[in-house]
Amino acid sequence: MDDRVIGKTNVLLREATTGTWEADKGLILIDEKCTLSVYLNVGREERQLLGHTPLFGIGLLDNLGERIEIPLMADEAMILKVKVEVESTDDILSLTCSKNAFNLLDEFERSGNLSSLEQAISQYRLASEMVSEDDPNRHSILQNLAMCLSYRFKRLGNIEDLESCIAQEQAVLNLTPDGHPEKPARLNNLGNSILTRFQRFGNVDDIDNAIAQHQLAVVLTPDGDPDKPGLLSNLGNSLHARFNRFGNVDDIANTIVQDQLAVNLVPDSYPGRPRLLSNLGSSLSTRFDRFGNVDDIGNAIVQQQLAIDLTPDGHPDKPDQSNDLGQLLMTRFNRFGNVGDINNAIVQLQLAINLTPDGHPNKPNRLNSLGIAHQVRFDRFGNVGDIDNAIAQQQLAVDLTPDGHPDMPNRLNNLGTSLSIRFNRFNNVGDINNAVAQHQLAVKLTPDGHPDKPMRLSSLGNSLQARFHCFGNVDDINNAIAQHQLA
C-alpha cells in the first residue's frame, strides 16, 4: 500500500487491494470490486443545503452511512490510479455549489421559474464565498453570479441586485490580465450593467463609464472577430442613452455610425443581424424625433421590418421586433397622421403581446404600449372602444408590475391619464376619482430629482382640477394649484 497520501485525499494503489483508511477529510474505502468510495466530513446543515448532486462522481456524504461509488480504471501495467483533486473541504463545497447553481440557472433559462433563479443565486453566492482567491474557477463563478443577479434585476427591478451584479463584474474584470481573450467580453458586460444603472438613476459618471468600457472592448477586438458587430452595437446603445439624456448631436450621429458599421459587418445569414437592424432603426427614429427628417423615420421602419422578415416564427426576439415596429409606426403617425400607421401600429403591438408568454417580464411594458396606442387612436377618432381598451391594457400592466419596480410610476401615470380622458368624455365619477388616485400614487413613488417628477405632478394637478370642475370642492383646486407650483 505504498504511495498512499491520505491526508490530501489522493490515493495511488500498486495492486487491487481492499481496505479502509482514515483521512483528515473523511473516509476512503476500496472494496473487492476495486471501487473507491470517498466519505467527506460534511456537516448535516451543509448536506441539506447542497443536496445529493454528485460532482465529478464524488458524493457529499454525512454520517448516515450513505455512499457513492467511483469505479477505478486500470492502465496497461495494471496500476490502479485515482486522484481525488480536493485540497480542502471548502474547495469541493465551492465546486458542488457551482455545479448545482449551473443546473438551476439552466432550469430558469428554460422555464422562467423564479424559484430556480433564487436558488441559483444562493448557490453561486456560497461558491463565491468559499472559492479561494487563486482558484482558476473563481472568475467563472463570479461571472455567473453576476448574470443571475442581472436576470433577477430585470425580473423584479431590485436595485441591490444591480449593484451586486456590477460589483461581481468589476471583480471579474480585475482578475482578467491584459491580453486575455475574454477581456473585451468582460468589459462589455460591465458596460452593459453600468448603462442599466444610468438608465435607472441618470448619474452622468455612469454613462461616461459605460461608454468607456464599451469603447475599450471595441478597441481590443480585432477586425474580423465575430464578436465585433455586437460590441459595436452595444457601444451605440451607450452613446444613444447619453444622447437621450443630454442631447449632444455628436452622440446620436456616432450612435448611427456604430450601428450601421455593425450591420455592414455581417451577412444576411448572420443570426444576430435582425437585432443589429433593430438597433439601427431605433437610432434613426431618435434622430427623427430631434430633427424631423422624414427619411430617418422611413428608414427606421424599413430596418425594423427587415429585422422581422429575417427572423423565423417562434424566435424569442419576434415579440420585441413587433413591439419596436409598432412604436416606430406610432412615431410616424404622431407626426404625419396617416391612419394606416396607427392601425398597423396597434396590430404589431397586439401581436407582440400575443407572442409574449404570461409571466414574462416584458409583458407589462407591452401592455402599457398597446394601451397608449389605443388612447392615441381614441384622441384622433373618438371610438369609445379604444379608450376602454386603453384603460384595460394599462390596468393589466399595472397589475402585473411588482411593487418597487422602477416602471410602476410611469404605468400608473399613463393609467391615470387614460381614466381622465374617459372622464372628460363621459363624466363618470368613478373614472376621475380613480385617475386622481393613480396620479397620486405615481407622484408618491417618484423620487425627488427624477426627471419625470414635474410631468407627474402636472398630471396630478390636471386630474384634481378636472374633479374640482365637476364637484366644486375647494380642496381639489387648492391641491391642483399646489401640484402645478411644485412642477
Side-chain angles (χ1 to χ4, degrees):
M1 299 307 301
D2 296 334
D3 297 314
R4 295 200 315 271
V5 190
I6 301 299
K8 293 184 179 179
T9 55
N10 295 334
V11 181
L12 175 60
L13 299 177
R14 298 284 181 194
E15 55 184 321
T17 305
T18 63
T20 302
W21 297 275
E22 292 289 333
D24 60 349
K25 302 175 186 66
L27 197 66
I28 298 176
L29 181 147
I30 306 293
D31 67 16
E32 62 274 12
K33 296 180 180 179
C34 298
T35 299
L36 169 72
S37 297
V38 181
Y39 293 74
L40 294 176
N41 291 328
V42 178
R44 188 179 298 274
E45 290 184 2
E46 293 168 321
R47 170 70 173 184
Q48 291 173 347
L49 178 65
L50 295 169
H52 296 259
T53 304
L55 176 68
F56 308 133
I58 300 171
L60 293 176
L61 307 169
D62 57 21
N63 57 10
L64 298 178
E66 183 177 284
R67 104 181 190 182
I68 294 175
E69 297 181 339
I70 307 169
L72 296 178
M73 302 299 293
D75 62 17
E76 291 181 358
M78 296 305 292
I79 298 174
L80 299 174
K81 298 180 180 180
V82 167
K83 184 179 181 183
V84 183
E85 297 185 6
V86 179
E87 294 300 326
S88 71
T89 304
D90 278 355
D91 286 341
I92 196 167
L93 290 176
S94 174
L95 287 169
T96 304
C97 286
S98 181
K99 182 173 188 288
N100 289 345
F102 181 85
N103 292 333
L104 289 161
L105 177 58
D106 181 66
E107 167 64 22
F108 167 75
E109 289 177 333
R110 285 186 290 105
S111 69
N113 187 327
L114 188 59
S115 175
S116 296
L117 180 61
E118 301 277 5
Q119 293 178 65
I121 290 172
S122 296
Q123 295 287 298
Y124 274 131
R125 282 198 190 281
L126 284 168
S128 69
E129 291 166 2
M130 289 181 290
V131 68
S132 58
E133 292 289 336
D134 57 352
D135 191 305
N137 294 310
R138 182 174 178 79
H139 71 276
S140 63
I141 291 171
L142 295 176
Q143 189 65 60
N144 288 338
L145 173 57
M147 181 168 58
C148 289
L149 290 163
S150 177
Y151 281 148
R152 190 166 69 178
F153 171 76
K154 291 174 183 175
R155 187 74 168 264
L156 302 178
N158 190 324
I159 189 59
E160 285 79 10
D161 282 337
L162 180 59
E163 295 289 0
S164 184
C165 171
I166 291 171
Q168 305 305 322
E169 288 175 335
Q170 185 66 64
V172 171
L173 188 58
N174 293 343
L175 291 171
T176 307
D178 291 341
H180 192 286
E182 292 297 319
K183 189 147 193 174
R186 292 170 187 172
L187 287 161
N188 179 69
N189 290 340
L190 179 59
N192 287 341
S193 297
I194 294 172
L195 172 60
T196 299
R197 187 168 66 185
F198 167 76
Q199 291 168 333
R200 177 76 179 267
F201 296 107
N203 187 317
V204 65
D205 290 339
D206 275 341
I207 190 57
D208 290 343
N209 193 3
I211 290 171
Q213 304 300 323
H214 284 139
Q215 284 175 328
L216 185 54
V218 168
V219 168
L220 293 177
T221 304
D223 292 340
D225 190 296
D227 291 337
K228 190 140 192 177
L231 298 177
L232 287 163
S233 185
N234 286 338
L235 172 58
N237 289 339
S238 291
L239 291 162
H240 197 165
R242 189 165 68 181
F243 171 79
N244 286 338
R245 179 63 187 274
F246 301 108
N248 187 317
V249 175
D250 290 340
D251 278 339
I252 192 60
N254 199 3
T255 298
I256 293 171
V257 168
Q258 304 303 323
D259 287 341
Q260 186 67 67
L261 181 57
V263 169
N264 293 346
L265 287 176
V266 299
D268 286 348
S269 59
Y270 179 74
R273 184 175 174 86
R275 191 169 294 182
L276 300 178
L277 288 164
S278 292
N279 288 344
L280 176 57
S282 176
S283 303
L284 289 163
S285 174
T286 297
R287 190 167 67 180
F288 168 78
D289 291 339
R290 176 66 180 269
F291 299 107
N293 187 323
V294 66
D295 289 340
D296 276 341
I297 190 60
N299 194 7
I301 291 171
V302 167
Q303 302 302 323
Q304 190 58 50
Q305 185 64 64
L306 183 56
I308 290 175
D309 294 342
L310 290 174
T311 304
D313 291 341
H315 192 282
D317 285 348
K318 202 85 169 182
D320 282 331
Q321 294 167 349
S322 292
N323 186 74
D324 291 345
L325 179 56
Q327 299 286 3
L328 292 172
L329 289 162
M330 280 274 293
T331 297
R332 190 164 67 180
F333 171 78
N334 288 333
R335 178 64 183 273
F336 300 107
N338 186 318
V339 66
D341 280 339
I342 188 61
N343 290 338
N344 197 8
I346 289 174
V347 169
Q348 294 298 325
L349 294 170
Q350 184 66 65
L351 179 59
I353 290 171
N354 295 344
L355 294 174
T356 305
D358 292 340
H360 192 283
N362 288 338
K363 191 143 195 173
N365 186 55
R366 290 169 186 164
L367 288 162
N368 182 64
S369 296
L370 178 59
I372 291 171
H374 278 291
Q375 178 194 313
V376 167
R377 192 165 68 178
F378 172 78
D379 289 340
R380 177 68 180 273
F381 301 107
N383 188 322
V384 66
D386 275 329
I387 194 61
D388 289 344
N389 205 354
I391 291 168
Q393 303 299 328
Q394 290 167 335
Q395 182 66 65
L396 186 53
V398 167
D399 293 343
L400 293 177
T401 303
D403 292 340
H405 194 283
D407 289 335
M408 179 67 95
N410 180 58
R411 292 167 189 168
L412 288 164
N413 187 76
N414 290 338
L415 174 58
T417 298
S418 292
L419 287 161
S420 291
I421 289 171
R422 189 167 69 179
F423 169 77
N424 290 333
R425 177 71 179 271
F426 301 105
N427 291 317
N428 186 313
V429 173
D431 279 342
I432 193 57
N433 287 335
N434 196 1
V436 170
Q438 304 302 323
H439 283 138
Q440 285 175 329
L441 186 53
V443 168
K444 180 180 178 180
L445 293 177
T446 304
D448 292 340
H450 191 285
D452 289 335
K453 188 136 191 177
M455 178 269 293
R456 290 169 189 164
L457 287 163
S458 180
S459 295
L460 173 57
N462 290 339
S463 61
L464 287 163
Q465 185 175 343
R467 190 165 69 178
F468 167 75
H469 288 309
C470 183
F471 300 108
N473 187 324
V474 69
D475 288 341
D476 278 339
I477 193 60
N478 289 337
N479 198 0
I481 292 170
Q483 303 305 317
H484 285 305
Q485 286 175 332
L486 283 172

